[in-house]
Each structure stands twice: as structure tokens, then as C-alpha cells.
Amino acid sequence: MDKKSVVIIGGYGTFGRLIADQLVDYAEIKIAGRNQKTGEAFAQSIGAAFVFCDSNDSESLQKAISGAHLVINATGPFYASDYRIPETCIKHRCHYIDLADGRDFVAGFSQFDSIAKEKKVFACTGASTTPAVTYALASELMKNTDGLKSIYTHLSVGNKNKPGLATLESILSYAGTPIKVWNHSRWQEMSGWSQPEYFIFPAPVGKRRVQLCNVPDLDVFPKLFDAEKIMFKAGVELDIFNISLSFFSIFKKLLPFLRLQALGKVLLWLSGFFQPWGTYAGGVTVIFEDKNGIQKSASFVTAKNGRRIPSSPAVLLARKILREGAPDVGAFPCVKYINIQEFKDFLEPFGIEYKTS
């Protein structure tokens, strides 16, 4: 049987490479992007093809996705002002998955629900740690929870996992800006990258500093779980970076016109000097607190291969579509389509452990 065509835009990037490597045996993979030299070299290394794609040019984008059964968008950062890739894919009847972790981008994605249903297309956003993996962890905890009060999610990345530019720009974009948080059963405003605390992750991660992040979960979870409070905090292994972001947040509040994401490339270069310190250990933990104050948690943690966690939802969802067909039609966030057992089975061979308490 002929393999179906899957186009991975940004397929030679940090997460695109991991996704492509895990799908090359399941489909005819095309690596798409603007850097032809890098893209062709990577595509050749895994037995895939390369196609030039400038997503800012509608003709180039349409040509790149032509004939694709599925398009995976592994670029970023994902801004709510730019939906040209999913919109083009839906109009051309290509199933679509992206790794968006931008809260506004994911929240606005439902605007394509009607046309996706009309075109009979499955269009899914947020196929990443948040909200796909965090929802799977939360839904597993929900099975034995009576009287849910609060949901806390904490995420930490090991310092040796060099951040991608898109990730860094995304963090900088909301540092010091107002964030809506569901607290005491109502919406409250808090400041991005504020509310610092130290949290002890399961081994091998340990004690890490985390701070308030503006992620899709803050919109998605209040609609899916009847909780009085929902918080999401994240951080990196070395406190020098977490504390630096706290200072950037203060500057942003004092000078709202500052465009901090413009510092992304400089900070990415500076981070290279700190690569010898720290570890690859990282993970994500979801904590449920019931009405009696009793807490229970579920985590994915690892001493290595942490990037396999955010790349896993796109891989698992793509395999399902290729094997069984699209699970639905419409445009929606990536929740309910991958269960905890599927994540466990996929991640454990990479040394990523599922732990509960």
C-alpha cells in the first residue's frame, strides 16, 4: 500500500526533527522550510524529501503542502495574529496538527471550526506538553478525585537542553504582561513570570524554581475541570535564568512599550556560555487538590530526552490519523485524543518515567 504524504513545516528544527524521525516509517515524509541546505541534509539523513516553503508567501506555502494528507506545523512562536498555515491547510483539505503553546493562538483556533467541518478536515492545535500531555495527566488524576478544588501544573527543563529561539521568544512575549488566571472561581489578573516558588519534582529532577506562565491550559482547563483555582508555572534548571526573567518582567511592567522578544537571539547566544552547567533532567507534574486539602500528582520526568515529551503528541496523533483516519472533523485544541497509556507506552523507551503520588 502506498504511504500517505505528511509535510512537516519546520521539520529540521528542534522538535520537527524528532517528529520526522518517528514518522518516517509510517508515511512519505516531506521536510519543509526556508533553509534549503539544512533541510535537505536532514531529510536525506532519514530518507525523506525536502520541499522549500516560505510560509509568509501564500504561493510557496500552497505548493509545499500540495497533495499532503497531513501537515504538521513545527514552527513557532505561534502568534494569534498569524493563522496563515492552518487556514491554508484547511482550505486545501489537508489534516493539520501544530505544536502551538501560545495561549492566544490556541484560544483563537476555534474560528476555523466551521470551515474545517465543511472541508471534513481534522485541525488540531496545541499538540505539545501543554495542553495535550498536561490534559492526559489531569484526566487520569480526575478518575479518583472527589470534590476537586485546585489544579497546579509545574514544568521544568534541564539546562543542557538548549532552548529553541521560538520557545525563548514565546516566554519573553508575556514576561511582565497581564495574564488572566482562574482563581477563587473567577478570573483575576496576574503578571507573567511572577509568583515564584520552589517545587520538588520527582527524581531525577528534584527541587526547581517555577514561575507563572501564560499557556493554553489556563483557558482550556477551566472549561474541562470544575476547579476553583488553576495555575501553571514553569522554569529552567539554573536560577540565574529564572531570576533574570523576573527582572525582565519588572522592566516590562515599568516600560510597557518594551518588546522583550527582540532580545531572543542575544539571550539564546548568551545561554550557550552556561551549557556546561546543569543536567538534561526535566519534567512536568500536574497536582490535584481536593476539597479536604489532600493532594495527588502525576508526572512525566526524565534524566534525558526531555524534548520527546513536547514532540510526542504530534507523533502519536499523526500515527492515529495515518493508521485509522481522522478521529474527528473540526478545529480544536489537542485534548481527549491521546490517553495516558498511549503516552506512557511511547515515552518509556526514551527513559521518560510516569510517576504518581
Side-chain angles (χ1 to χ4, degrees):
M1 184 180 295
D2 291 338
K3 291 182 178 179
K4 293 175 180 176
S5 174
V6 175
V7 174
I8 305 176
I9 302 176
Y12 49 82
T14 301
F15 299 114
R17 287 172 175 262
L18 301 179
I19 295 167
D21 179 66
Q22 291 297 304
L23 293 179
V24 73
D25 292 334
Y26 293 80
E28 178 189 311
I29 300 296
K30 293 181 180 179
I31 305 298
R34 288 179 293 185
N35 191 324
Q36 187 161 347
K37 183 178 180 180
T38 302
E40 284 183 342
F42 173 68
Q44 186 176 11
S45 73
I46 63 168
F50 173 80
V51 57
F52 179 83
C53 176
D54 181 354
S55 61
N56 296 314
D57 182 275
S58 58
E59 185 177 344
S60 174
L61 178 58
Q62 290 175 34
K63 185 177 179 180
I65 68 168
S66 178
H69 181 71
L70 168 66
V71 175
I72 300 175
N73 181 3
T75 62
F78 293 86
Y79 296 124
S81 58
D82 187 4
Y83 289 103
R84 72 189 76 190
I85 296 177
E87 185 174 17
T88 301
C89 292
I90 293 168
K91 287 182 177 179
H92 287 79
R93 301 180 187 275
C94 302
H95 297 307
Y96 172 87
I97 299 170
D98 69 42
L99 280 69
D101 58 5
R103 180 177 179 178
D104 293 338
F105 184 95
V106 173
F109 197 77
S110 61
Q111 66 184 281
F112 301 107
D113 189 58
S114 295
I115 187 172
K117 287 176 177 174
E118 177 190 329
K119 299 289 186 179
K120 295 182 171 54
V121 165
F122 175 83
C124 193
T125 187
S128 188
T129 305
T130 166
V133 176
T134 50
Y135 173 79
L137 291 167
S139 61
E140 190 68 14
L141 289 172
M142 193 64 199
K143 290 179 181 179
N144 299 306
T145 298
D146 183 22
L148 176 63
K149 181 181 179 181
S150 305
I151 304 175
Y152 304 93
T153 303
H154 295 149
L155 181 151
S156 183
V157 180
N159 185 61
K160 288 185 181 294
N161 295 290
K162 187 176 180 180
L165 178 60
T167 300
L168 194 52
E169 288 180 344
S170 178
I171 292 171
L172 289 167
S173 71
Y174 62 77
T177 63
I179 293 176
K180 284 201 312 177
V181 177
W182 187 250
N183 192 26
H184 301 300
S185 299
R186 61 189 179 91
W187 290 107
Q188 294 184 347
E189 270 196 2
M190 298 182 182
S191 181
W193 216 257
S194 65
Q195 310 290 315
E197 65 175 289
Y198 283 94
F199 175 73
I200 300 176
F201 290 85
V205 183
K207 187 177 180 180
R208 300 277 180 89
R209 181 184 170 106
V210 292
Q211 295 161 259
L212 181 63
C213 283
N214 197 25
V215 295
D217 294 32
L218 296 179
D219 282 324
V220 174
F221 277 24
K223 299 172 185 175
L224 300 174
F225 301 101
D226 185 18
E228 297 175 14
K229 182 177 183 178
I230 295 172
M231 296 286 287
F232 191 110
K233 295 183 179 182
V236 293
E237 184 175 9
L238 299 187
D239 276 352
I240 186 173
F241 295 119
N242 296 313
I243 294 170
S244 295
L245 282 167
S246 294
F247 280 115
F248 282 135
S249 299
I250 294 170
F251 293 146
K252 177 69 175 182
K253 290 176 71 174
L254 294 173
L255 303 169
F257 59 86
L258 288 178
R259 190 174 179 275
L260 292 177
Q261 54 267 45
L263 299 173
K265 289 183 179 179
V266 174
L267 294 178
L268 185 63
W269 175 73
L270 288 173
S271 71
F273 292 100
F274 294 87
Q275 286 299 108
W277 288 276
T279 68
Y280 288 101
V284 58
T285 297
V286 176
I287 306 158
F288 271 28
E289 181 181 355
D290 68 17
K291 299 289 185 179
N292 299 312
I294 298 173
Q295 294 187 348
K296 59 181 181 177
S297 68
S299 308
F300 279 115
V301 290
T302 182
K304 57 181 181 179
N305 290 326
R307 288 172 176 166
R308 292 287 180 181
I309 298 175
S311 62
S312 64
V315 173
L316 291 169
L317 201 45
R319 288 181 180 178
K320 277 191 177 184
I321 293 171
L322 294 167
R323 182 177 62 245
E324 305 165 9
D328 205 347
V329 292
F332 19 66
C334 188
V335 295
K336 303 181 181 180
Y337 295 106
I338 311 166
N339 62 44
I340 200 69
Q341 190 61 50
E342 291 171 308
F343 278 120
K344 286 170 62 178
D345 291 343
F346 178 77
L347 293 172
E348 283 177 359
F350 295 108
I352 298 169
E353 300 176 86
Y354 174 69
K355 294 188 176 183
T356 59
S357 66

